[in-house]
Amino acid sequence: SDTSGQDKRELVFKEDLQEYAQVTKVLGNGRMEVQCFDKENKKRLGHIRGAMRKKVWINLGDYVLVSLREFQDQKCDIVQKYSDEEVSNLRKAEQLPEKSANAGDAQQEEEDDDLVEFDLDIDEL
């Protein structure tokens, strides 16, 4: 048996009613806006499943596997987070597009919010 990959879990491919997605906004409370890689490239409200919330930290730009809801197309459940290595393996298997939606831009916006601008009145100096 091959023991070299013991610390690696098996790569999980999407199944029926599942889709690959990328996190575009972190909304707090276990909710995120995700861009799904389905035919419409649809944005949905992703909800982190209970068991995962305690264990896995999901950030902006992360690739995830979501479980779609048959009766609520706007919502989905985040069931798995992919590591960078898994993402590149999914790309090699042509499961994911080469370059994704503009998560880089979203990241930038996020960071700019931390800049505090001080309005200094020159006369007071």
Side-chain angles (χ1 to χ4, degrees):
S1 72
D2 174 27
T3 54
S4 64
Q6 271 187 336
D7 54 342
K8 285 197 189 137
R9 56 184 182 189
E10 205 168 319
L11 189 56
V12 177
F13 292 110
K14 68 178 184 179
E15 295 173 12
D16 285 348
L17 282 175
Q18 287 186 332
E19 193 49 71
Y20 303 112
Q22 187 176 25
V23 177
T24 50
K25 263 189 202 151
V26 177
L27 304 168
N29 244 354
R31 292 170 317 133
M32 333 219 134
E33 181 189 84
V34 298
Q35 172 102 48
C36 296
F37 296 113
D38 49 8
K39 286 185 278 298
E40 304 91 53
N41 266 331
K42 197 175 175 81
K43 283 197 169 168
R44 293 183 170 90
L45 181 66
H47 193 264
I48 303 171
R49 288 250 290 255
M52 248 181 99
R53 275 175 81 162
K54 310 273 184 293
K55 294 208 268 291
V56 183
W57 201 248
I58 297 180
N59 299 304
L60 197 66
D62 281 347
Y63 286 85
V64 293
L65 179 65
V66 299
S67 179
L68 303 175
R69 299 183 184 183
E70 267 180 288
F71 305 106
Q72 293 179 300
D73 192 43
Q74 302 303 318
K75 294 185 176 176
C76 60
D77 297 289
I78 297 171
V79 293
Q80 168 115 9
K81 169 183 161 173
Y82 290 112
S83 67
D84 292 345
E85 190 181 351
E86 287 173 323
V87 169
S88 79
N89 288 335
L90 284 170
R91 286 200 174 118
K92 282 185 198 128
E94 293 180 5
Q95 294 283 316
L96 276 178
E98 272 310 313
K99 268 291 157 252
S100 59
N102 51 8
D105 302 346
Q107 192 80 45
Q108 198 47 52
E109 226 172 275
E110 221 40 33
E111 288 161 11
D112 292 345
D113 289 346
D114 297 338
L115 296 176
V116 179
E117 288 186 28
F118 293 101
D119 293 323
L120 285 179
D121 194 333
I122 300 298
D123 298 339
E124 290 174 17
L125 293 178

